[in-house]
Amino acid sequence: MNPLWFIRMAKWARRPPSMTQVKIAGTVLAIAVAIVIVDKLGFWPDWARLDRAPRP
């Protein structure tokens, strides 16, 4: 683990993020998980999919 991560963790322990920031991060995470679940279940519309180029 990079030593800079320990410095960042110490800063967060001394001054944790506000509840608003925690709610925003949780909401964004929940939306991302919901999109992945909808895509895996096959309910994602075809127009919203990316066509992948074949790998050489």
Side-chain angles (χ1 to χ4, degrees), residues 32-46 49:
V33 169
I35 289 172
V36 169
I37 290 172
V38 167
D39 185 35
K40 294 291 183 185
L41 291 176
F43 295 120
W44 196 253
D46 288 334
R49 294 183 189 268

Side-chain angles (χ1 to χ4, degrees), residues 13-52:
R14 290 185 191 117
R15 187 181 164 117
S18 68
M19 186 54 71
T20 304
Q21 289 176 327
V22 172
K23 287 179 184 178
I24 290 171
T27 303
V28 169
L29 182 64
I31 290 170
V33 169
I35 289 172
V36 169
I37 290 172
V38 167
D39 185 35
K40 294 291 183 185
L41 291 176
F43 295 120
W44 196 253
D46 288 334
W47 60 265
R49 294 183 189 268
L50 291 176
D51 294 331
R52 292 188 180 190

Side-chain angles (χ1 to χ4, degrees), residues 2-22:
N2 192 348
L4 292 177
W5 282 98
F6 289 118
I7 295 171
R8 184 177 292 182
M9 286 188 283
K11 285 182 182 178
W12 275 34
R14 290 185 191 117
R15 187 181 164 117
S18 68
M19 186 54 71
T20 304
Q21 289 176 327
V22 172

